[in-house]
Amino acid sequence: MTAKPLAEQAGPLREGLARYFRRRVPDPAEVDDLVQDVFARIAARDSAEPIGHLGGFVFQVAANVLADRGRRRFSRKADAHVPFEPDRHGDEDFDPYRLLAGKEDLRLAVEALLELPPRTRTIFVLHRLEGRKTREIATQLGISVSAVEKHMIRAMQHLSVIRKGRV
């Protein structure tokens, strides 16, 4: 008479595993996947050593699966993900007219930036695109904070006129 495979012996513990995961995982959709991971690990076990207490072994594997899930979620920053919302994120990403309009807007913006005097353009890029603080830009360029603010006003006025006039 042959012994049942370990995963088959652990089968009756399936419902207990599901309860274990339901109490510890907020998303009920993950429970079946986690139970399956436990059985996959048990089935992949290389050792032919007998297990003294099968229930304890299965729940130790379950604890390891849960810990691995936590590490994966942390390293992939799973809690920072935002669900896809068509109204917010748009569902026409590959609309050719939208792509063409975006490329045209970008071309006009670059053209408008290139029309600015070099120092004004540099200040605008440092502040708006690189996120530098006004005081930091003033120190870097050796000018006053007031001068940086005046360059920013000039750049914004120029870009708003260009946008209204061309787009």
Side-chain angles (χ1 to χ4, degrees), residues 21-96:
F21 287 125
R22 274 194 292 270
R23 283 192 300 260
R24 289 164 176 80
V25 177
D27 184 4
E30 289 186 67
V31 170
D32 287 336
D33 291 338
L34 293 169
V35 170
Q36 185 62 33
D37 284 349
V38 169
F39 285 107
R41 288 188 187 189
I42 291 171
R45 186 171 176 267
D46 292 335
S47 176
E49 295 176 32
I51 297 171
H53 189 281
L54 182 60
F57 176 74
V58 168
F59 282 95
Q60 182 60 54
V61 172
N64 291 339
V65 165
L66 200 57
D68 288 347
R69 173 193 172 273
R71 281 191 289 272
R72 266 193 317 277
R73 289 180 61 78
F74 178 77
S75 68
R76 295 176 183 166
K77 304 206 183 313
D79 295 331
H81 293 186
V82 176
F84 179 77
E85 298 170 9
D87 294 339
R88 181 175 178 196
H89 298 109
D91 58 350
E92 300 176 12
D93 288 344
F94 299 108
D95 177 26

Side-chain angles (χ1 to χ4, degrees), residues 42-155:
I42 291 171
R45 186 171 176 267
D46 292 335
S47 176
E49 295 176 32
I51 297 171
H53 189 281
L54 182 60
F57 176 74
V58 168
F59 282 95
Q60 182 60 54
V61 172
N64 291 339
V65 165
L66 200 57
D68 288 347
R69 173 193 172 273
R71 281 191 289 272
R72 266 193 317 277
R73 289 180 61 78
F74 178 77
S75 68
R76 295 176 183 166
K77 304 206 183 313
D79 295 331
H81 293 186
V82 176
F84 179 77
E85 298 170 9
D87 294 339
R88 181 175 178 196
H89 298 109
D91 58 350
E92 300 176 12
D93 288 344
F94 299 108
D95 177 26
Y97 298 109
R98 186 167 165 237
L99 288 173
L100 183 60
K103 286 181 181 181
E104 180 64 16
D105 286 348
L106 179 61
R107 185 188 65 74
L108 290 172
V110 168
E111 190 177 287
L113 279 173
L114 291 174
E115 291 173 358
L116 291 171
R119 176 165 255 167
T120 304
R121 180 175 52 243
T122 300
I123 290 170
F124 178 83
V125 168
L126 288 172
H127 186 65
R128 287 299 176 114
L129 302 180
E130 293 186 14
R132 301 265 185 89
K133 303 256 187 257
T134 306
R135 184 170 302 286
E136 185 181 339
I137 296 169
T139 303
Q140 179 181 345
L141 298 178
I143 59 177
S144 68
V145 171
S146 173
V148 171
E149 290 168 349
K150 287 176 184 172
H151 281 285
M152 279 302 298
I153 289 169
R154 188 177 307 134

